Amino acid sequence: MKEKILKKVMERIDLNEDLSDQEIRMVIRDVLVEETREVYMSLEKKEQIFNDIFYSLRRLDILQEMLDDEEITEIMINGYDHIFIEKNGELFQTKERFSSREKLEQVIQQIVSKTNRIINESSPIVDARLEDGSRVNVVLEPISLNGSTMTIRKFAKEITNMEQLLKLGSLNEEIKDFLDLMVRSRMNIFISGGTGAGKTTLLNALSNCIPKDERIITIEDSAELKLYGVENLVRLEARNENLEGENKIAIKDLIKASLRMRPTRIIVGEVRGEECIDMLQAFNTGHDGSFSTGHGNSSQDMLLRLETMVMMGIDLPVSAIRGQIASAIDLMIHIGRLRDKSRRIVEISEVFGLEDGKIRLRTLYKFEEEGEKDKKVIGDIKRKNSLHFTYKLKERGLLSEYEELLKKYPPR
């Protein structure tokens, strides 16, 4: 019935006209009434068919309802007929499927074209985003052997701030106050964590602690950051090469360009390769209070990965690279996903400089597990040491505020 109605709707629509959503809805409604006049169908079923046809013509087909469901955090399409979702931290296979491989390809092209990206046989892998900021990765067949694959990491609809992370249990009151103070004192902060751990979410929350009168420049592969209340904001996004393999704008190009824009702070969404050296140099050229993120299993592991990334872009002695990293970054925050699927800040470390040629980290806070109840991990992040390098706090008149914080939250 749905295919029959869709076919008649397509016959009545002039594809050369720029019809509004309301006009499309009227055509679908008229055809639906005609075709179900002598067939009993519940109002719920009619509404479902109406929405399915409208989404197929004007939205993202069967994906639209999943995108509208705020409990779904990730959508994984393994070919046109195998779709999985992550909901409340657990994976499920849905009964939904695209009508054909061609329909899936059409939806992929619809998403990719809106972000000025190109995907085809010669360029079968692309990162893009939806209008709400959700992250999209696509790999076309035959590179993906089971059919074209698309993974959508949904972006939270709400404004993310430290209070919301507190309610979610990702941090406690002390960490909230501590990180807010570190942002205002212009510490350079690097966030590490695994895939889906919540690095971008935490970065958003930290960004919203920045005083609103500063000039902020964000640099991302696919724009995901949501900074609210910042009027002097410049958002830069990388660009892939065109069909001729030209006109590529990489993150490292954007970092270099941003240094000429008189930024107060620079926020690099994520570093994955040789652009790491440009990020470190930006942090080291008077832009205190800058942030970035990267994939790592721990803060120490992230430092090793940063070394490797720098080596991809420049030939420097390891000692010089480690010196660059140690002088650029003040704090390392590692965020992890525990076995109960909860996302927590598990460690905050101060970069303590070089010792015997290696970067030394000093743990300030560490998550301690205390047990498990109803399949939920019980524990809290506790202070291990106080901040040693407090010169930035002194420079900005915030040292007394930090001393009050230490008194307010005595060691546990």
Side-chain angles (χ1 to χ4, degrees), residues 199-391:
K199 298 185 295 297
T200 303
T201 300
L202 178 58
L203 188 58
N204 266 321
L206 291 177
S207 300
N208 283 290
C209 297
I210 296 172
K212 305 307 178 187
D213 60 347
E214 296 187 14
R215 178 170 172 79
I216 314 300
I217 297 181
T218 65
I219 298 168
E220 301 174 84
D221 192 33
S222 292
E224 296 175 305
L225 292 171
K226 301 286 184 182
L227 274 65
Y228 297 88
V230 180
E231 292 186 5
N232 201 347
L233 173 67
V234 178
R235 303 176 70 212
L236 304 178
E237 184 180 48
R239 184 179 70 191
N240 291 339
E241 65 267 14
N242 58 21
L243 288 171
E244 289 76 36
E246 301 172 343
N247 300 327
K248 178 179 180 179
I249 305 294
I251 284 182
K252 65 177 183 178
D253 301 318
L254 297 178
I255 293 173
K256 290 175 181 176
S258 71
L259 298 178
R260 305 185 189 101
M261 298 180 183
R262 199 188 172 279
T264 310
R265 303 178 193 240
I266 298 171
I267 300 175
V268 183
E270 185 176 326
V271 288
R272 300 189 184 99
E274 59 183 32
E275 71 275 2
C276 182
I277 184 63
D278 299 291
M279 179 270 292
L280 294 173
Q281 288 174 350
F283 280 27
N284 271 325
T285 51
H287 302 96
D288 287 349
S290 297
F291 312 143
S292 188
T293 75
H295 281 86
N297 296 322
S298 67
S299 295
Q300 196 68 55
D301 174 66
M302 190 69 243
L303 291 175
L304 295 173
R305 294 203 67 233
L306 289 175
E307 289 180 25
T308 304
M309 284 187 256
V310 172
M311 290 177 185
M312 292 168 65
I314 194 168
D315 185 18
L316 280 176
V318 173
S319 58
I321 293 172
R322 289 174 180 170
Q324 283 273 321
I325 295 171
S327 61
I329 301 171
D330 297 309
L331 293 177
M332 299 285 295
I333 303 174
H334 186 70
I335 186 165
R337 199 167 186 181
L338 306 186
R339 62 180 179 278
D340 63 356
K341 311 300 181 183
S342 63
R343 298 172 172 90
R344 307 274 187 99
I345 291 177
V346 295
E347 188 175 18
I348 300 175
S349 303
E350 180 179 20
V351 179
F352 211 64
L354 293 175
E355 188 176 90
D356 297 328
K358 295 182 179 179
I359 302 173
R360 181 184 168 195
L361 290 178
R362 186 166 183 262
T363 302
L364 301 178
Y365 293 91
K366 194 172 183 66
F367 179 81
E368 292 184 0
E369 185 176 331
E370 297 166 0
E372 189 175 311
K373 185 178 181 181
D374 299 327
K375 295 185 178 180
K376 294 288 183 182
V377 174
I378 307 298
D380 201 2
I381 187 166
K382 299 179 181 180
R383 187 165 77 239
K384 300 298 178 183
N385 291 289
S386 59
L387 196 66
H388 180 78
F389 295 111
T390 57
Y391 66 95

Side-chain angles (χ1 to χ4, degrees), residues 145-159:
L145 299 179
N146 295 330
S148 295
T149 300
M150 179 162 59
T151 308
I152 302 174
R153 173 84 54 78
K154 287 176 61 180
F155 194 85
K157 298 283 192 293
E158 297 179 346
I159 298 173

Side-chain angles (χ1 to χ4, degrees), residues 16-29:
N16 294 319
E17 288 187 24
D18 186 16
L19 298 177
S20 67
D21 285 356
Q22 186 59 34
E23 288 172 318
I24 295 289
R25 286 190 177 100
M26 288 177 63
V27 174
I28 298 172
R29 189 174 290 111

Side-chain angles (χ1 to χ4, degrees), residues 1 5 9 27-37 41 45-47 49-50 53:
M1 175 64 76
I5 293 171
V9 169
V27 174
I28 298 172
R29 189 174 290 111
D30 289 345
V31 175
L32 184 60
V33 169
E34 292 171 11
E35 293 300 317
T36 59
R37 187 171 284 127
M41 187 178 292
K45 185 65 175 175
K46 286 181 181 179
E47 184 179 2
I49 290 176
F50 178 89
I53 293 174

Side-chain angles (χ1 to χ4, degrees), residues 48 59 67 88 141 157 163 182 187 237 244 253 321 337:
Q48 183 66 50
R59 295 294 185 266
L67 291 167
N88 299 322
E141 59 178 337
K157 298 283 192 293
E163 289 292 342
M182 294 302 102
M187 296 287 185
E237 184 180 48
E244 289 76 36
D253 301 318
I321 293 172
R337 199 167 186 181

Side-chain angles (χ1 to χ4, degrees), residues 96-144:
E96 300 290 348
R97 53 182 287 170
F98 287 94
S99 57
S100 64
R101 286 183 174 84
E102 290 72 26
K103 186 61 186 179
L104 171 57
E105 301 289 338
Q106 180 185 333
V107 170
I108 288 172
Q109 292 295 343
Q110 185 179 342
I111 291 172
V112 171
S113 63
K114 286 186 177 180
T115 56
N116 200 27
R117 306 280 169 110
I118 295 172
I119 188 164
N120 51 36
E121 285 186 9
S122 61
S123 181
I125 302 174
V126 73
D127 288 316
R129 71 178 191 279
L130 301 181
E131 291 178 0
D132 66 354
S134 297
R135 187 188 307 172
V136 182
N137 173 265
V138 180
V139 181
L140 293 183
E141 59 178 337
I143 301 300
S144 176

